[in-house]
Amino acid sequence: MLIFDGRALSFAKARATECAHVEAATAQGDPDRYMRQVAEKVADQVRYLCEPAAWPRDLPATTAVTRLGEGLGIDEAAAHIEDMDACLVAFVGGGDNGGDALYTCAMLAERGKVVTAFLLKPNAHARALEAAREAGVGIVELSGRSLRSLEGTPEWNTICGARVWIDGIVGIGAHGPLTGELAETVTCLNEELRAHPKKVIAIDVPSGLTDDDGNVAGPILRATHTLAVGAYKRAQILPPAVEYCGQLRMIGMYWSGAHTDTTPDAEGRIGAGDLYYYDSDERAAAAVPIPAFADDKYARGVVGLVAGSDTYPGAGLLATRGSLASGVGMVRLNSTRRVQDLVLAAEPGVVMVGGRIQSALIGPGLDEDRREDALELAQFCGQSGMPLVIDAWALDLVPELVGTISPDATVLTPHYGEAARLLSALGHPTTREQVASSPLRCARALHEATGCHVVLKGPVTIVYSFEDVPLSRRAEADGENARRYADTRAGERPGLTRVYEPTVARVTTSWAGVAGSGDVLAGLIAGVLARPAGQDTASSPEGARRLLVTSARLSAAVFLHASAAQTAAMRRQGRAPIQARDIADEISSVLASIAQ
Ligand SMILES: NC(=O)C1=CN([C@@H]2O[C@H](COP(=O)(O)OP(=O)(O)OC[C@H]3O[C@@H](n4cnc5c(N)ncnc54)[C@H](O)[C@@H]3O)[C@@H](O)[C@H]2O)[C@@H](O)CC1
Ligand SMILES: Nc1ncnc2c1ncn2[C@@H]1O[C@H](COP(=O)(O)OP(=O)(O)O)[C@@H](O)[C@H]1O
């Protein structure tokens, strides 16, 4: 069973956890103790981010080379270094997020910073406001007016002249998109940022980011840094909202209970509403194990591909190279003569005849002429329960394959457009725009419509996966709830319980979105699934085969692909394009750089 690097919480869960902390502080007669602890850590981060050394690494760039939002913009940073210690400005709302901001301002002022707080609501947190005044923070009261009303005044110049803004307008207490004067204020601030970029440090979440599935339905103040209080929130790591967070840092608040929910939902599933992030070089390396002393090519795994066509020959080569990078002992490629010649010229070890395989991939670069071979391999996998990856063109075959494939062993790897087309073909009319605005929701819908694992490719790729783990392990780990749940399914899967582990990898580069990049990923996933199951997979019940298609393996492949793209982009300082072949080439150096 998988425990990823961490669970990202829903806003409701985060609010409940935070409330418990506040209640405990209140019971001890100091209701703001927790808030001051948050503010102290925020103030430390703000001071650090104001230091010259932090600038070159931290300024954002739109073409990010990122670990979820971390940006590089070295030249712009250098230009601002001299006067970045000018004044700090905070925008303060009427809730506790504003309270955090005011205490933060007070602490910064006490440490010698020049700070001005703009109160956007008449009901700012009273004790925090008093502390800010006492510390010498400049206070500007908007009394409910939009910030736009200040344009042309000296206060407006203070806002524009600041190098660093602190966003305490709203946090996780906001419901729905921002409305009224707050919406206008945020729009106005974003306009100023577009004209004159600055550091924007969001306390907990960028103001306006309110949807657990990362949907962007209204104005959000675009942060360069987001300081997540206590735990990451789902919207901070999900596209499209992730783009507004900039570099994400955690403010540790000793939150407990941020583990997988063991309570089944209405349909009896565990963890289907959870979201994890994957950020582990070591775990990724475990998916590509060093061969054992006596391993021959068959022991290392053989992958069978139906990829490439006379219409799209290059896809056959790129998928092949993705598979080879996974360390399989052999790739068997079924393709046209033209593709075979192309592949053999680059990779003479590839075998063009059929035979024993441990996993399969159909789809990259296929055209109508390749339909029969793709269907045949899919059907073979369905009958044998062998892992099958369905990508690109072959995704259009899914509606006719639904009854024949083995969903537990099948992975669909659509991009947004393909996901929309497939969902529509399966009876759920969906546009590409709808997928782009709520990719997690659509990945889940695709799983529900097909039963398959889904790798939804995008700026941040989502792995919507699950495992059937032995009841004994689940119960050991999670206690009574799981035991009760498993009993209800005993007739269906005796001894097993289904656990969902939707995951995003915390690494990305926008240079990865290039033709053929997905072919490499599909090949890599199929290759990883052909490798012998080892430490990286969940254990199966006594006597059963070890599980091959797991969240851990799929996430590892996605992570390696993104890391390879990022490393290739970094070789060019993130400023020059990379090609799909660069990603394939870089996978082995990423693996080589990871200590095993
Ligand atoms: N709960 C607590 O006691 C603490 C919360 N902290 C911080 O405070 C934040 C949560 O505080 P709150 O629960 O007070 O809420 P927020 O401060 O996030 O937001 C609540 C305010 O936003 C307004 N609002 C809500 N939805 C809106 C919308 N759609 N458009 C415009 N205005 C809207 C409300 O009227 C209210 O004034 C967290 O993110 C966290 O950072 C902690 O750091 C300190 C203790
Ligand atoms: N803006 C982006 N930032 C990072 N990665 C991206 C972006 N856009 C696309 N990608 C990645 O690029 C790959 C493109 O795959 P796909 O669309 O299938 O292309 P192809 O079929 O040409 O190989 C996917 O891995 C996807 O996650």
Side-chain angles (χ1 to χ4, degrees):
M1 186 175 56
L2 176 70
I3 304 289
F4 275 142
D5 300 278
R7 177 174 168 221
L9 301 189
S10 67
F11 288 120
K13 180 95 187 170
R15 273 196 296 267
T17 309
E18 199 148 62
C19 269
H21 281 275
V22 174
E23 277 165 19
T26 308
Q28 289 166 10
D30 184 3
D32 290 353
R33 187 185 63 202
Y34 179 77
M35 192 178 268
R36 286 198 311 274
Q37 285 169 346
V38 171
E40 200 162 327
K41 294 185 179 183
V42 172
D44 282 345
Q45 286 289 324
V46 172
R47 281 170 67 224
Y48 165 71
L49 292 169
C50 287
E51 304 222 336
W55 279 80
R57 281 196 297 115
D58 289 339
L59 260 197
T62 43
T63 52
V65 179
T66 59
R67 203 149 200 143
L68 265 200
E70 282 177 29
L72 294 178
I74 292 160
D75 294 346
E76 295 131 279
H80 295 314
I81 277 179
E82 288 102 58
D83 56 351
M84 71 202 158
D85 204 24
C87 73
L88 293 158
V89 156
F91 302 108
V92 177
D96 286 341
N97 197 238
D100 286 346
L102 284 168
Y103 274 124
T104 301
C105 290
M107 289 167 192
L108 289 167
E110 278 160 8
R111 295 174 199 170
K113 298 275 179 200
V114 180
V115 194
T116 309
F118 288 79
L119 311 187
L120 305 178
K121 288 286 202 184
N123 54 336
H125 192 284
R127 290 182 300 268
L129 179 56
E130 197 184 317
R133 282 194 207 279
E134 269 175 27
V137 174
I139 304 289
V140 179
E141 300 206 29
L142 270 291
S143 306
R145 283 173 299 145
S146 153
L147 208 65
R148 211 182 272 285
S149 64
L150 290 183
E151 275 176 348
T153 66
E155 287 83 5
W156 181 249
N157 294 342
T158 304
I159 291 173
C160 298
R163 293 290 175 210
V164 177
W165 289 352
I166 297 169
D167 170 9
I169 303 175
V170 287
I172 58 173
H175 296 282
L178 292 181
T179 52
E181 72 286 349
L182 286 192
E184 204 186 323
T185 292
V186 166
T187 305
C188 164
L189 291 175
N190 277 336
E191 282 165 16
E192 165 60 18
L193 286 176
R194 262 194 298 278
H196 305 106
K198 306 170 206 308
K199 266 191 187 180
V200 181
I201 302 169
I203 304 178
D204 207 13
V205 290
S207 293
L209 192 154
T210 54
D211 183 83
D212 272 328
D213 283 349
N215 201 344
V216 175
I220 299 177
L221 187 53
R222 197 175 274 275
T224 57
H225 297 80
T226 295
L227 306 176
V229 176
Y232 293 127
K233 319 298 179 300
R234 293 160 51 105
Q236 292 168 333
I237 63 171
L238 276 174
V242 60
E243 204 191 331
Y244 289 82
C245 293
Q247 187 178 345
L248 195 56
R249 293 175 185 214
M250 174 98 76
I251 301 234
M253 292 304 294
Y254 310 104
W255 285 17
S256 56
H259 310 300
T260 304
D261 269 333
T262 52
T263 317
D265 65 12
E267 276 103 52
R269 305 165 304 179
I270 291 178
D274 287 342
L275 182 66
Y276 296 87
Y277 55 90
Y278 186 98
D279 194 12
S280 164
D281 289 345
E282 288 70 27
R283 225 190 314 276
V288 183
I290 295 170
F293 179 72
D295 279 357
D296 65 6
K297 56 182 181 273
Y298 299 108
R300 287 169 58 172
V302 180
V303 58
L305 312 181
V306 178
S309 63
D310 286 354
T311 318
Y312 306 105
L317 176 57
L318 290 165
T320 298
R321 297 191 62 194
S323 288
L324 289 172
S326 71
V328 287
M330 190 194 295
V331 173
R332 296 184 188 275
L333 175 65
N334 172 337
S335 200
T336 63
R337 184 57 194 263
R338 183 175 175 206
V339 178
Q340 291 179 352
D341 290 346
L342 179 75
V343 170
L344 287 174
E347 302 290 355
V350 175
V351 171
M352 304 295 170
V353 289
R356 209 172 67 184
I357 55 172
Q358 274 87 43
S359 78
L361 163 65
I362 60 171
L366 298 189
D367 63 13
E368 193 55 37
D369 291 348
R370 309 292 303 133
R371 171 185 284 268
E372 288 314 314
D373 283 352
L375 282 173
E376 194 182 315
L377 185 53
Q379 278 150 2
F380 169 74
C381 288
Q383 284 152 14
S384 60
M386 183 176 292
L388 169 68
V389 180
I390 306 183
D391 185 49
W393 184 89
L395 288 162
D396 287 338
L397 302 178
V398 168
E400 67 185 281
L401 281 172
V402 157
T404 38
I405 50 177
S406 161
D408 293 1
T410 302
V411 187
L412 311 179
T413 58
H415 59 54
Y416 290 173
E418 289 160 348
R421 208 165 63 231
L422 182 49
L423 276 169
S424 303
L426 291 165
H428 308 277
T430 309
T431 62
R432 189 194 175 284
E433 288 65 36
Q434 285 168 327
V435 179
S437 74
S438 286
L440 177 67
R441 243 171 257 166
C442 292
R444 187 188 301 132
L446 209 43
H447 159 71
E448 281 166 2
T450 61
C452 300
H453 304 261
V454 176
V455 174
L456 181 56
K457 296 177 292 189
V460 175
T461 292
I462 295 167
V463 175
Y464 197 88
S465 182
F466 52 88
E467 290 177 43
D468 291 332
V469 303
L471 167 60
S472 54
R473 286 196 60 200
R474 183 81 220 175
E476 247 168 54
D478 298 324
E480 202 50 41
N481 274 328
R483 211 167 290 134
R484 272 208 307 274
Y485 164 63
D487 287 342
T488 66
R489 293 181 61 123
E492 210 181 312
R493 292 167 190 272
L496 294 179
T497 175
R498 176 155 288 194
V499 181
Y500 282 81
E501 289 152 335
T503 306
V504 302
R506 291 196 61 223
V507 56
T508 182
T509 165
S510 44
W511 287 116
V514 63
S517 164
D519 304 330
V520 174
L521 176 63
L524 179 62
I525 293 174
V528 164
L529 297 180
R531 301 298 311 269
Q535 292 300 312
D536 61 313
T537 63
S539 54
S540 301
E542 287 298 304
R545 266 178 76 214
R546 289 179 78 83
L547 289 171
L548 292 173
V549 183
T550 63
S551 318
R553 298 189 124 193
L554 298 176
S555 304
V558 168
F559 178 89
L560 284 171
H561 178 267
S563 297
Q566 188 190 58
T567 310
M570 287 298 286
R571 285 190 199 288
R572 297 152 177 82
Q573 282 73 46
R575 296 206 173 273
I578 56 169
Q579 303 306 326
R581 64 164 187 273
D582 300 319
I583 303 176
D585 284 347
E586 206 66 50
I587 294 168
S588 73
S589 34
V590 166
L591 286 166
S593 70
I594 298 172
Q596 297 211 32

